[in-house]
């Protein structure tokens, strides 16, 4: 019907609804809920209620809302929900350089996004393309807000090769509480912009490496949304305040 407000998939009438929960989190919520019921049956109310509350917190942490992905071949989207904590010119990590199909050795702009435990932790592809190399690196679990976490923490590097041959790199970094990075894709998979590519459990950081000739479209301290916020535009070289050298 003309004038009808549709949902973000173009169906029916728009209405509010709770986001779905990713299967990775359902099992943990069910375990906590089961322990809560056992504690309740044993009349251990001081344990039953905290466990029931914890199960709700787990469901909230693993929530997986739908996103409206902006269209545009030149757009580089945010791979994570969170706060932009760093915008800096750096040499790409060794795992993302590659002789072919990598970022190369020249400095590129890195945008770091910090995810608190209250943010959605499903990570999404910053652009459409083919998953290139994926490199898992075991490491420490220092505070993900610190710059050294990019080199010392447990992390997973991913290259997305666009159809025009431009490589976009992202790194999932575990934090103080996060203890596992869970990938949803593998090398050779074809992904759409904004498609889910993995998650990091319980507080973390995601670094996005913009291709050369791309300027950041966000500022330090800005809140971003995975699959929706535009972090960069290919072919634009406008300098923004907040860039760290």
């Amino acid at each position: 019907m003309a004038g009808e407000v549709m949902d973000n998939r173009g169906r029916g009438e728009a209405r509010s609804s709770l986001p779905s929960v990713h299967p990775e989190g359902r099992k943990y919520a069910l375990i906590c809920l089961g322990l809560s019921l056992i504690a309740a049956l044993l009349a251990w109310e001081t344990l039953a209620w905290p466990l029931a509350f914890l199960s709700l917190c787990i469901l909230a942490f693993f929530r997986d809302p739908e996103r409206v992905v902006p269209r545009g071949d030149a757009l580089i989207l945010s791979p994570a929900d969170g706060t932009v904590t760093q915008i800096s010119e750096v040499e790409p990590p060794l795992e993302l350089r590659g002789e072919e199909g990598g970022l190369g050795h020249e400095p590129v702009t890195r945008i770091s996004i910090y995810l608190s435990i209250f943010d959605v932790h499903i990570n999404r592809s910053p652009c459409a393309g083919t998953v290139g190399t994926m490199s898992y690196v075991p490491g420490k679990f220092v505070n993900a807000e610190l710059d050294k976490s990019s080199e010392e923490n447990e992390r997973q590097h991913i290259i997305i090769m666009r159809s025009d041959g431009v490589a976009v790199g992202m790194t999932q970094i575990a934090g103080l509480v996060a203890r596992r990075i869970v990938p949803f894709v593998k090398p050779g998979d074809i992904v759409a912009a904004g498609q889910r590519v993995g998650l990091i459990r319980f507080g973390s950081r995601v670094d996005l490496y913009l291709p050369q000739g791309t300027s950041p479209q966000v500022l330090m301290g800005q809140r971003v949304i995975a699959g929706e916020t535009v972090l960069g535009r290919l072919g634009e070289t406008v300098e923004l305040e907040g860039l760290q050298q």
Side-chain angles (χ1 to χ4, degrees):
M1 179 181 296
E4 183 179 6
V5 179
M6 314 293 280
D7 69 6
N8 63 4
R9 290 186 176 181
R11 306 171 306 181
E13 183 180 348
R15 57 174 60 87
S16 61
S17 61
L18 292 175
S20 62
V21 177
H22 192 273
E24 185 72 19
R26 295 173 190 168
K27 55 186 177 183
Y28 297 107
L30 287 174
I31 290 172
C32 279
L33 185 59
L35 292 174
S36 174
L37 292 174
I38 292 173
L41 291 174
L42 296 175
W44 296 345
E45 293 186 2
T46 55
L47 183 60
W49 285 111
L51 285 172
F53 178 72
L54 180 59
S55 66
L56 293 177
C57 291
I58 292 173
L59 290 174
F61 177 85
F62 284 98
R63 66 193 184 279
D64 186 13
E66 295 294 335
R67 295 289 161 80
V68 181
V69 180
R71 296 183 178 181
D73 291 338
L75 304 182
I76 305 296
L77 307 178
S78 175
D81 286 34
T83 303
V84 175
T85 56
Q86 293 184 31
I87 304 175
S88 54
E89 289 287 331
V90 300
E91 291 186 0
L94 180 63
E95 296 83 1
L96 292 180
R97 294 176 187 175
E99 297 300 327
E100 294 183 4
L103 301 181
H105 296 263
E106 296 298 320
V108 295
T109 300
R110 181 183 71 191
I111 300 178
S112 298
I113 302 167
Y114 176 73
L115 295 75
S116 74
I117 60 172
F118 302 105
D119 288 311
V120 174
H121 275 58
I122 304 293
N123 301 147
R124 294 173 179 261
S125 177
C127 62
T130 302
V131 179
T133 58
M134 293 181 63
S135 303
Y136 172 78
V137 182
K140 302 177 182 178
F141 297 95
V142 301
N143 190 338
E145 289 187 277
L146 301 178
D147 187 50
K148 64 180 181 179
S149 66
S150 293
E151 299 178 355
E152 296 185 5
N153 279 24
E154 175 188 340
R155 56 201 181 277
Q156 179 160 262
H157 302 283
I158 304 174
I159 285 285
I160 306 293
M161 290 298 300
R162 290 163 43 98
S163 59
D164 57 6
V166 174
V168 179
M170 61 177 285
T171 302
Q172 299 166 287
I173 304 170
L176 277 173
V177 183
R179 296 291 166 168
R180 189 183 175 193
I181 299 171
V182 183
F184 301 161
V185 295
K186 62 184 182 301
D189 286 352
I190 297 174
V191 295
Q195 180 176 327
R196 299 165 179 84
V197 295
L199 67 83
I200 317 172
R201 292 178 184 165
F202 307 116
S204 49
R205 168 176 160 177
V206 176
D207 288 344
L208 178 72
Y209 295 86
L210 296 176
Q212 292 185 9
T214 306
S215 66
Q217 303 292 304
V218 290
L219 298 174
M220 296 276 290
Q222 181 175 333
R223 291 281 303 171
V224 295
I225 299 175
E228 291 193 359
T229 304
V230 176
L231 296 192
R233 292 177 185 269
L234 285 168
E236 295 192 4
T237 56
V238 178
E239 294 292 336
L240 296 180
E241 294 182 4
L243 183 66
Q244 300 175 348
Q245 299 294 336

